[in-house]
Every structure is written in structure tokens, then in C-alpha cells.
Amino acid sequence: VVDQLGIPHRTIDISGAVDGYLQAHEPDADPSRRGNVMARERMIVLFDQSAKLRALSLGTGNKTERLFGYFTWHADVSPPINPIGDLYKTQVRQLSQAVGVPDTILKKAPSADLWSGQTDEGELGYTYAEVDQLLYLLVDQRYTPDECVEAGFAANFVKAVVDRVRRNHFKR
């Protein structure tokens, strides 16, 4: 996409910084902790590059991720501007399609790519298509959980989503 739009870009390998810390100090860190270290290191580089270029860092987190607490503090929610922060993941995909993002990106399983085989939906336990419809009713339309069940959602699904949002409220 950046090539198509003619946007200057650079790829910076953070493996050395991440591996240096983890191997020297936390060799037993589980995949979640390792993923958080990677996400924070990416943000360190992003903020450093924004200082170098006298630019603002843009966030890439969406409303679904925030509601579910599926983000890393001091990483993907750190940038001062987050243009898609109030859009659900399915809305981000719709917008991406509307502005011509290539199919290779649109069809890729959403993932932070922090370890092999990792996907957002695999970790969340739901597809964005499933959960965003329910979140929209709960958050934007202010439906009660009972009203969501009446609207056709399975009671155990509604309970699981409500519990997850409540449990992760502290992160927001």
C-alpha cells in the first residue's frame, strides 16, 4: 500500500532488541509476555522515528480491540492520534475495501504477527464479524444483554462477550 501511494517507508528489524532483553533477562517468558515486549519495542522505534522525522505517530487500534482489552499498554494504544479508534474491526475492513486496500491485505487473517500462527480471532475466540454486531448493539445502541438475546444472539455468547468487556474495562 505504501508503495502504491508513494509514501516513504522503512522496515526496521527489532529482533536484536527484543531477543537481547528476553534472552538475557526473561528466557522463560510465555508467548503473551514476549508479544507484549515486541509490541512495546515496535512503539519505541515508531516514536523514535517520529521524533527523527518530526512527525506524529498514528495509532492502528480499533474499537473492538479496545473493548476486549486486546492491546498492549504503552504500545499499540500509545500514539497521540488514532484515526480508526472509534471504528469496529469490521468497519475498518469495510473502509479499507472502499479506499482500495489490496485484497492480499483484506483477506489476510487479522494478526499482530507476534508468533507463528497467531491470529487475533484465534486468541479472542470469536470472529470480528460475530462479535462486532453484538458489540454495536451493546455499546452504541445500549441494548441490555437480554435485549441482545431477544435480537437473536445466543445467551452464552452474549454473557461471554459482556463478561470479557467488563473484565477488560480497567485497561480502557
Side-chain angles (χ1 to χ4, degrees):
V1 172
V2 294
D3 288 336
Q4 286 179 346
L5 297 174
I7 297 171
H9 62 282
R10 187 173 167 201
T11 300
I12 299 173
D13 185 351
I14 62 168
S15 301
V18 170
D19 292 344
Y21 167 71
L22 290 172
Q23 289 172 4
H25 303 287
E26 297 298 329
D28 298 328
D30 64 27
S32 178
R33 286 183 55 212
R34 290 177 178 281
N36 285 334
V37 169
M38 289 180 237
R40 290 182 180 115
E41 183 60 34
R42 282 195 306 226
M43 198 52 54
I44 288 170
V45 171
L46 182 61
F47 272 92
D48 180 62
Q49 290 297 301
S50 72
K52 174 184 172 182
L53 300 169
R54 301 178 63 118
L56 284 175
S57 299
L58 296 180
T60 59
N62 59 67
K63 193 171 190 173
T64 309
E65 293 166 344
R66 280 197 343 262
L67 288 168
F68 266 27
Y70 190 68
F71 59 85
T72 300
W73 275 115
H74 308 294
D76 42 353
V77 295
S78 297
I81 298 173
N82 189 2
I84 61 170
D86 200 37
L87 298 176
Y88 292 101
K89 181 66 171 192
T90 51
Q91 292 173 310
V92 172
R93 297 197 127 200
Q94 290 167 341
L95 176 62
S96 298
Q97 186 173 19
V99 299
V101 171
D103 279 346
T104 55
I105 293 173
L106 292 173
K107 292 180 180 179
K108 180 185 179 293
S111 174
D113 292 322
L114 298 173
W115 57 84
S116 180
Q118 183 258 346
T119 66
D120 296 3
E121 293 170 330
E123 284 193 276
L124 293 172
Y126 311 106
T127 68
Y128 284 113
E130 293 170 320
V131 78
D132 281 354
Q133 292 175 29
L134 178 56
L135 288 172
Y136 175 77
L137 292 180
L138 288 166
V139 176
D140 295 272
Q141 298 300 308
R142 303 210 182 266
Y143 277 38
T144 66
D146 289 339
E147 290 171 322
C148 291
V149 172
E150 290 170 18
F153 290 94
N156 61 337
F157 178 56
V158 172
K159 181 182 181 333
V161 169
V162 168
D163 288 350
R164 175 125 189 198
V165 170
R166 285 184 180 149
R167 185 175 63 244
N168 289 297
H169 182 75
F170 78 94
K171 281 186 84 171
R172 295 178 278 122

